[in-house]
Amino acid sequence: MKTCRVCGVEKELNNYYKRSTGKHRNECTECHADKQMQKTYGISLSTYNRMFIEQGGVCAICHLPQKSTRNERLAIDHCHETGKVRGLLCDGCNRGIGLLKDDYRILSSAASYLRAQDQD
């Protein structure tokens, strides 16, 4: 058992990330995630959780739950120019729109291309 230095709640060690030194962090995984989301995206874990519930726990594009074992949370999609958070996406959809430069014109062209191929 260990007490989180941020929330002050005593939790099992499996609720803490392990450092490369083998020692556990001083903040629990939830408090660590909250700190990282605040720093990177300007949203709290509670805001993320609210968005997750509003989206029904699924990706805003494919409407499927997170499939990746790499990350159990949906990715926080944001505009790279403004920093504005747009929604939560699975890893595949997040990478897909990123590879298409977050450009709706390219995405639309890709959709048209796929539609045309289906007609053959």
Side-chain angles (χ1 to χ4, degrees):
M1 296 291 280
K2 182 174 179 133
T3 302
C4 175
R5 73 178 168 107
V6 178
C7 66
V9 176
E10 188 176 39
K11 299 179 181 183
E12 297 285 335
L13 286 178
N14 64 354
N15 289 296
Y16 295 84
Y17 291 119
K18 218 176 200 180
R19 295 182 183 274
S20 58
T21 61
K23 294 185 175 185
H24 290 85
R25 288 185 158 284
N26 291 323
E27 72 260 341
C28 68
T29 54
E30 284 192 15
C31 289
H32 180 72
D34 186 62
K35 183 172 75 173
Q36 290 302 110
M37 285 180 196
Q38 290 277 2
K39 180 179 168 185
T40 308
Y41 305 106
I43 67 168
S44 65
L45 180 58
S46 63
T47 299
Y48 174 93
N49 290 336
R50 181 181 45 78
M51 292 172 68
F52 185 83
I53 290 166
E54 287 172 359
Q55 283 186 206
V58 297
C59 173
I61 293 176
C62 70
H63 307 288
L64 295 172
Q66 177 67 291
K67 299 175 279 279
S68 171
T69 56
R70 181 179 72 87
N71 188 358
E72 57 193 49
R73 284 194 176 96
L74 290 168
I76 300 169
D77 178 44
H78 65 287
C79 174
H80 291 265
E81 290 179 19
T82 66
K84 181 180 183 257
V85 172
R86 297 184 285 218
L88 306 176
L89 304 177
C90 71
D91 284 343
C93 289
N94 191 42
R95 277 194 234 116
I97 66 169
L99 290 171
L100 294 174
K101 302 172 181 80
D102 288 4
D103 187 326
Y104 69 89
R105 292 172 293 244
I106 296 172
L107 288 164
S108 178
S109 180
S112 295
Y113 169 80
L114 289 173
R115 268 196 238 55
Q117 300 309 309
D118 273 352
Q119 294 175 4
D120 290 343

PDB file of all heavy atoms in Angstrom, residues 29-45:
ATOM      1  N   THR A  29      -1.691   6.487 -10.605  1.00  0.00           N
ATOM      2  CA  THR A  29      -1.834   6.584 -12.062  1.00  0.00           C
ATOM      3  C   THR A  29      -2.892   7.617 -12.459  1.00  0.00           C
ATOM      4  O   THR A  29      -2.723   8.318 -13.450  1.00  0.00           O
ATOM      5  CB  THR A  29      -2.183   5.216 -12.672  1.00  0.00           C
ATOM      6  OG1 THR A  29      -3.334   4.679 -12.015  1.00  0.00           O
ATOM      7  CG2 THR A  29      -1.033   4.245 -12.551  1.00  0.00           C
ATOM      8  N   GLU A  30      -3.980   7.726 -11.686  1.00  0.00           N
ATOM      9  CA  GLU A  30      -5.020   8.705 -12.014  1.00  0.00           C
ATOM     10  C   GLU A  30      -4.515  10.133 -11.849  1.00  0.00           C
ATOM     11  O   GLU A  30      -4.747  10.982 -12.709  1.00  0.00           O
ATOM     12  CB  GLU A  30      -6.269   8.487 -11.160  1.00  0.00           C
ATOM     13  CG  GLU A  30      -7.088   7.307 -11.609  1.00  0.00           C
ATOM     14  CD  GLU A  30      -8.460   7.275 -10.958  1.00  0.00           C
ATOM     15  OE1 GLU A  30      -8.888   8.291 -10.379  1.00  0.00           O
ATOM     16  OE2 GLU A  30      -9.105   6.232 -11.053  1.00  0.00           O
ATOM     17  N   CYS A  31      -3.830  10.410 -10.770  1.00  0.00           N
ATOM     18  CA  CYS A  31      -3.291  11.761 -10.546  1.00  0.00           C
ATOM     19  C   CYS A  31      -2.215  12.088 -11.572  1.00  0.00           C
ATOM     20  O   CYS A  31      -2.124  13.212 -12.058  1.00  0.00           O
ATOM     21  CB  CYS A  31      -2.750  11.902  -9.124  1.00  0.00           C
ATOM     22  SG  CYS A  31      -4.065  11.938  -7.884  1.00  0.00           S
ATOM     23  N   HIS A  32      -1.407  11.087 -11.934  1.00  0.00           N
ATOM     24  CA  HIS A  32      -0.383  11.288 -12.954  1.00  0.00           C
ATOM     25  C   HIS A  32      -1.043  11.602 -14.302  1.00  0.00           C
ATOM     26  O   HIS A  32      -0.622  12.519 -15.004  1.00  0.00           O
ATOM     27  CB  HIS A  32       0.516  10.059 -13.057  1.00  0.00           C
ATOM     28  CG  HIS A  32       1.591  10.192 -14.080  1.00  0.00           C
ATOM     29  ND1 HIS A  32       2.678  11.011 -13.908  1.00  0.00           N
ATOM     30  CD2 HIS A  32       1.734   9.632 -15.305  1.00  0.00           C
ATOM     31  CE1 HIS A  32       3.449  10.948 -14.974  1.00  0.00           C
ATOM     32  NE2 HIS A  32       2.895  10.118 -15.831  1.00  0.00           N
ATOM     33  N   ALA A  33      -2.092  10.842 -14.658  1.00  0.00           N
ATOM     34  CA  ALA A  33      -2.810  11.080 -15.915  1.00  0.00           C
ATOM     35  C   ALA A  33      -3.426  12.477 -15.919  1.00  0.00           C
ATOM     36  O   ALA A  33      -3.369  13.187 -16.931  1.00  0.00           O
ATOM     37  CB  ALA A  33      -3.896  10.019 -16.116  1.00  0.00           C
ATOM     38  N   ASP A  34      -3.998  12.884 -14.785  1.00  0.00           N
ATOM     39  CA  ASP A  34      -4.599  14.215 -14.675  1.00  0.00           C
ATOM     40  C   ASP A  34      -3.542  15.293 -14.931  1.00  0.00           C
ATOM     41  O   ASP A  34      -3.771  16.226 -15.705  1.00  0.00           O
ATOM     42  CB  ASP A  34      -5.235  14.400 -13.302  1.00  0.00           C
ATOM     43  CG  ASP A  34      -5.991  15.701 -13.178  1.00  0.00           C
ATOM     44  OD1 ASP A  34      -6.964  15.894 -13.937  1.00  0.00           O
ATOM     45  OD2 ASP A  34      -5.610  16.536 -12.337  1.00  0.00           O
ATOM     46  N   LYS A  35      -2.384  15.137 -14.318  1.00  0.00           N
ATOM     47  CA  LYS A  35      -1.295  16.112 -14.477  1.00  0.00           C
ATOM     48  C   LYS A  35      -0.836  16.181 -15.936  1.00  0.00           C
ATOM     49  O   LYS A  35      -0.648  17.271 -16.490  1.00  0.00           O
ATOM     50  CB  LYS A  35      -0.132  15.732 -13.564  1.00  0.00           C
ATOM     51  CG  LYS A  35       1.025  16.709 -13.600  1.00  0.00           C
ATOM     52  CD  LYS A  35       2.062  16.384 -12.529  1.00  0.00           C
ATOM     53  CE  LYS A  35       2.869  15.182 -12.912  1.00  0.00           C
ATOM     54  NZ  LYS A  35       3.989  14.911 -12.002  1.00  0.00           N
ATOM     55  N   GLN A  36      -0.689  15.010 -16.579  1.00  0.00           N
ATOM     56  CA  GLN A  36      -0.241  14.968 -17.970  1.00  0.00           C
ATOM     57  C   GLN A  36      -1.276  15.574 -18.919  1.00  0.00           C
ATOM     58  O   GLN A  36      -0.917  16.305 -19.842  1.00  0.00           O
ATOM     59  CB  GLN A  36       0.067  13.530 -18.389  1.00  0.00           C
ATOM     60  CG  GLN A  36       1.295  12.949 -17.726  1.00  0.00           C
ATOM     61  CD  GLN A  36       2.542  13.759 -17.999  1.00  0.00           C
ATOM     62  OE1 GLN A  36       3.073  14.401 -17.112  1.00  0.00           O
ATOM     63  NE2 GLN A  36       3.009  13.758 -19.214  1.00  0.00           N
ATOM     64  N   MET A  37      -2.569  15.293 -18.685  1.00  0.00           N
ATOM     65  CA  MET A  37      -3.620  15.859 -19.539  1.00  0.00           C
ATOM     66  C   MET A  37      -3.687  17.372 -19.396  1.00  0.00           C
ATOM     67  O   MET A  37      -3.866  18.092 -20.381  1.00  0.00           O
ATOM     68  CB  MET A  37      -4.977  15.231 -19.202  1.00  0.00           C
ATOM     69  CG  MET A  37      -5.133  13.835 -19.718  1.00  0.00           C
ATOM     70  SD  MET A  37      -6.763  13.177 -19.289  1.00  0.00           S
ATOM     71  CE  MET A  37      -6.490  11.453 -19.567  1.00  0.00           C
ATOM     72  N   GLN A  38      -3.553  17.850 -18.163  1.00  0.00           N
ATOM     73  CA  GLN A  38      -3.549  19.306 -17.919  1.00  0.00           C
ATOM     74  C   GLN A  38      -2.390  19.952 -18.668  1.00  0.00           C
ATOM     75  O   GLN A  38      -2.564  20.963 -19.347  1.00  0.00           O
ATOM     76  CB  GLN A  38      -3.410  19.605 -16.416  1.00  0.00           C
ATOM     77  CG  GLN A  38      -4.612  19.250 -15.599  1.00  0.00           C
ATOM     78  CD  GLN A  38      -5.687  20.324 -15.630  1.00  0.00           C
ATOM     79  OE1 GLN A  38      -5.582  21.344 -16.292  1.00  0.00           O
ATOM     80  NE2 GLN A  38      -6.739  20.079 -14.891  1.00  0.00           N
ATOM     81  N   LYS A  39      -1.211  19.355 -18.539  1.00  0.00           N
ATOM     82  CA  LYS A  39       0.006  19.915 -19.134  1.00  0.00           C
ATOM     83  C   LYS A  39      -0.039  19.859 -20.664  1.00  0.00           C
ATOM     84  O   LYS A  39       0.305  20.828 -21.333  1.00  0.00           O
ATOM     85  CB  LYS A  39       1.207  19.118 -18.614  1.00  0.00           C
ATOM     86  CG  LYS A  39       2.541  19.557 -19.138  1.00  0.00           C
ATOM     87  CD  LYS A  39       3.627  18.694 -18.504  1.00  0.00           C
ATOM     88  CE  LYS A  39       4.948  18.870 -19.198  1.00  0.00           C
ATOM     89  NZ  LYS A  39       5.967  17.956 -18.663  1.00  0.00           N
ATOM     90  N   THR A  40      -0.479  18.745 -21.222  1.00  0.00           N
ATOM     91  CA  THR A  40      -0.435  18.540 -22.668  1.00  0.00           C
ATOM     92  C   THR A  40      -1.638  19.122 -23.408  1.00  0.00           C
ATOM     93  O   THR A  40      -1.481  19.725 -24.469  1.00  0.00           O
ATOM     94  CB  THR A  40      -0.330  17.033 -22.983  1.00  0.00           C
ATOM     95  OG1 THR A  40       0.760  16.481 -22.236  1.00  0.00           O
ATOM     96  CG2 THR A  40      -0.103  16.795 -24.462  1.00  0.00           C
ATOM     97  N   TYR A  41      -2.848  18.947 -22.859  1.00  0.00           N
ATOM     98  CA  TYR A  41      -4.060  19.323 -23.579  1.00  0.00           C
ATOM     99  C   TYR A  41      -4.896  20.400 -22.898  1.00  0.00           C
ATOM    100  O   TYR A  41      -5.886  20.860 -23.452  1.00  0.00           O
ATOM    101  CB  TYR A  41      -4.947  18.089 -23.804  1.00  0.00           C
ATOM    102  CG  TYR A  41      -4.222  16.971 -24.512  1.00  0.00           C
ATOM    103  CD1 TYR A  41      -3.817  15.837 -23.821  1.00  0.00           C
ATOM    104  CD2 TYR A  41      -3.925  17.059 -25.863  1.00  0.00           C
ATOM    105  CE1 TYR A  41      -3.140  14.814 -24.454  1.00  0.00           C
ATOM    106  CE2 TYR A  41      -3.250  16.038 -26.514  1.00  0.00           C
ATOM    107  CZ  TYR A  41      -2.853  14.923 -25.802  1.00  0.00           C
ATOM    108  OH  TYR A  41      -2.184  13.914 -26.437  1.00  0.00           O
ATOM    109  N   GLY A  42      -4.545  20.744 -21.663  1.00  0.00           N
ATOM    110  CA  GLY A  42      -5.304  21.765 -20.940  1.00  0.00           C
ATOM    111  C   GLY A  42      -6.645  21.285 -20.415  1.00  0.00           C
ATOM    112  O   GLY A  42      -7.534  22.082 -20.148  1.00  0.00           O
ATOM    113  N   ILE A  43      -6.815  19.949 -20.307  1.00  0.00           N
ATOM    114  CA  ILE A  43      -8.053  19.407 -19.736  1.00  0.00           C
ATOM    115  C   ILE A  43      -7.715  18.506 -18.559  1.00  0.00           C
ATOM    116  O   ILE A  43      -6.633  17.937 -18.500  1.00  0.00           O
ATOM    117  CB  ILE A  43      -8.920  18.635 -20.763  1.00  0.00           C
ATOM    118  CG1 ILE A  43      -8.218  17.355 -21.231  1.00  0.00           C
ATOM    119  CG2 ILE A  43      -9.311  19.520 -21.934  1.00  0.00           C
ATOM    120  CD1 ILE A  43      -9.110  16.413 -22.015  1.00  0.00           C
ATOM    121  N   SER A  44      -8.658  18.369 -17.655  1.00  0.00           N
ATOM    122  CA  SER A  44      -8.459  17.505 -16.489  1.00  0.00           C
ATOM    123  C   SER A  44      -8.941  16.089 -16.800  1.00  0.00           C
ATOM    124  O   SER A  44      -9.650  15.859 -17.781  1.00  0.00           O
ATOM    125  CB  SER A  44      -9.244  18.053 -15.304  1.00  0.00           C
ATOM    126  OG  SER A  44     -10.630  17.982 -15.579  1.00  0.00           O
ATOM    127  N   LEU A  45      -8.558  15.167 -15.938  1.00  0.00           N
ATOM    128  CA  LEU A  45      -9.033  13.790 -16.073  1.00  0.00           C
ATOM    129  C   LEU A  45     -10.552  13.750 -15.951  1.00  0.00           C
ATOM    130  O   LEU A  45     -11.214  12.985 -16.656  1.00  0.00           O
ATOM    131  CB  LEU A  45      -8.369  12.892 -15.024  1.00  0.00           C
ATOM    132  CG  LEU A  45      -8.751  11.421 -15.030  1.00  0.00           C
ATOM    133  CD1 LEU A  45      -8.460  10.782 -16.385  1.00  0.00           C
ATOM    134  CD2 LEU A  45      -8.028  10.677 -13.924  1.00  0.00           C
TER     135      LEU A  45
END
